Amino acid sequence: MSPIGTFFGEANYKYDVPRQGRLFAGHPGRIELAHGRNFETALRDLEGFERIWVIFLFHENEGWRPTTRPPVPAPGKERIGTFASRSPYRPNPIGLSCVRLLRIEGLTLYVDEADLLNETPILDIKPYIPMADAFPEAKAGWVDEQIKESWTVETTLAFEEQNQWLRKNSEFDLLSFAQVQLRRGPFDDSRCRVAVDENFCTGTLAYRTFRIDFSYNLEYRQITLLAVRSGYSAEDLADSDDKYGDKSLHTDFLAAFY
């Protein structure tokens, strides 16, 4: 098999990607198909479909694991077999996603609700047909035993202003990242980038070298993103070593808001 094209989006790291794309509108991207292979003809008549199946490669994975820890385990099932999961670490690194098709322009397909990394190789595209593909009454094994717990994620004006500044001056979108990371609440111990102070109902979410401070309301299952701050100390910024190449961004951010 050889890829027919490439997916391009804003998620460059696995923690940027929603675990189920359908749950997170606002994760758009585009699939650019290869030239010179008559794919223009192959795309004919696809425009009328609202959703498509995208078959792709987990191109950054190495090896596979026979068991995995689900993001939301069912009681008594801390680890499950890989074939009973959507884990990306599989014997053959093949992925399958049902994304929303927005429009087609030439050899470019614009999509949303995507859970793919930037530059993911695409193997095939098929139309989603509800009559054949949807089985809403089908049993879902251990997934049916999950404790469904979804939190709302809200923002303060201060956070919104800081996030807009970062989006304008970098490729970062901390709101999208926080929604992905905190949708299941602040106590998910599989999210190693979250630190919680239960005495004050506050927490910090790390995004690369930035930090997002938040508060939470356990009763209402609500998280409020308070503000963004630099993960660098003043001493760090004064040091000429710039491992991640982003100290100038932090300096400008601090000058704008602190």
Side-chain angles (χ1 to χ4, degrees):
M1 292 185 294
S2 62
I4 63 171
T6 306
F7 173 84
F8 296 97
E10 295 183 353
N12 290 302
Y13 299 90
K14 66 179 182 179
Y15 51 77
D16 291 334
V17 179
R19 283 173 165 166
Q20 297 294 336
R22 180 180 177 274
L23 302 178
F24 293 93
H27 281 264
R30 69 187 190 278
I31 298 171
E32 295 188 3
L33 299 182
H35 291 265
R37 298 177 64 179
N38 201 21
F39 290 152
E40 295 88 347
T41 303
L43 283 172
R44 192 176 64 195
D45 306 313
L46 186 62
E47 189 79 59
F49 289 89
E50 183 176 340
R51 289 188 173 274
I52 55 174
W53 291 107
V54 177
I55 303 170
F56 60 93
L57 288 176
F58 290 110
H59 62 299
E60 294 193 1
N61 286 3
E62 294 182 2
W64 73 285
R65 304 167 185 170
T67 65
T68 187
R69 185 186 186 281
V72 186
K77 295 186 182 296
E78 290 302 310
R79 298 195 69 84
I80 58 172
T82 292
F83 294 145
S85 79
R86 301 287 187 92
S87 167
Y89 298 100
R90 318 191 73 79
N92 291 304
I94 299 172
L96 175 69
S97 287
C98 188
V99 303
R100 183 180 298 276
L101 178 61
L102 302 178
R103 67 185 187 279
I104 301 173
E105 295 180 2
L107 287 172
T108 301
L109 291 77
Y110 292 89
V111 300
D112 195 1
E113 301 175 19
D115 55 356
L116 286 73
L117 284 175
N118 185 43
E119 299 186 353
T120 292
I122 304 302
L123 295 177
D124 200 4
I125 294 168
K126 302 177 187 292
Y128 173 84
I129 304 174
M131 178 182 65
D133 296 343
F135 301 91
E137 303 303 321
K139 294 181 179 180
W142 63 269
V143 177
D144 289 336
E145 302 172 17
Q146 284 179 328
I147 299 174
K148 304 299 190 296
E149 186 177 277
S150 183
W151 289 56
T152 59
V153 178
E154 300 183 350
T155 62
T156 62
L157 180 59
F159 174 88
E160 290 177 6
E161 291 176 346
Q162 292 169 328
N163 189 52
Q164 286 299 321
W165 188 94
L166 285 169
R167 292 196 66 181
K168 181 179 179 180
N169 292 278
S170 71
E171 76 276 16
F172 302 160
D173 185 350
L174 274 63
L175 175 58
S176 175
F177 171 76
Q179 289 173 330
V180 170
Q181 295 291 315
L182 298 174
R183 184 71 175 268
R184 293 292 183 181
F187 308 110
D188 181 355
D189 60 11
S190 70
R191 302 293 194 183
C192 60
R193 294 171 182 83
V194 179
V196 173
D197 186 336
E198 296 187 35
N199 293 322
F200 296 96
C201 294
T202 59
T204 299
L205 173 63
Y207 179 80
R208 304 189 195 181
T209 50
F210 283 94
R211 303 293 180 263
I212 304 170
D213 293 323
F214 64 86
S215 62
Y216 65 88
N217 185 307
L218 186 60
E219 179 182 0
Y220 294 102
R221 296 286 192 270
Q222 178 180 308
I223 292 171
T224 301
L225 307 179
L226 302 173
V228 180
R229 56 185 171 85
S230 173
Y232 289 120
S233 66
E235 292 76 14
D236 292 333
L237 290 175
D239 191 326
S240 59
D241 181 33
D242 193 1
K243 178 180 179 181
Y244 301 106
D246 63 354
K247 286 189 175 179
S248 62
L249 175 66
H250 282 259
T251 300
D252 293 344
F253 174 79
L254 291 171
F257 294 102
Y258 290 95

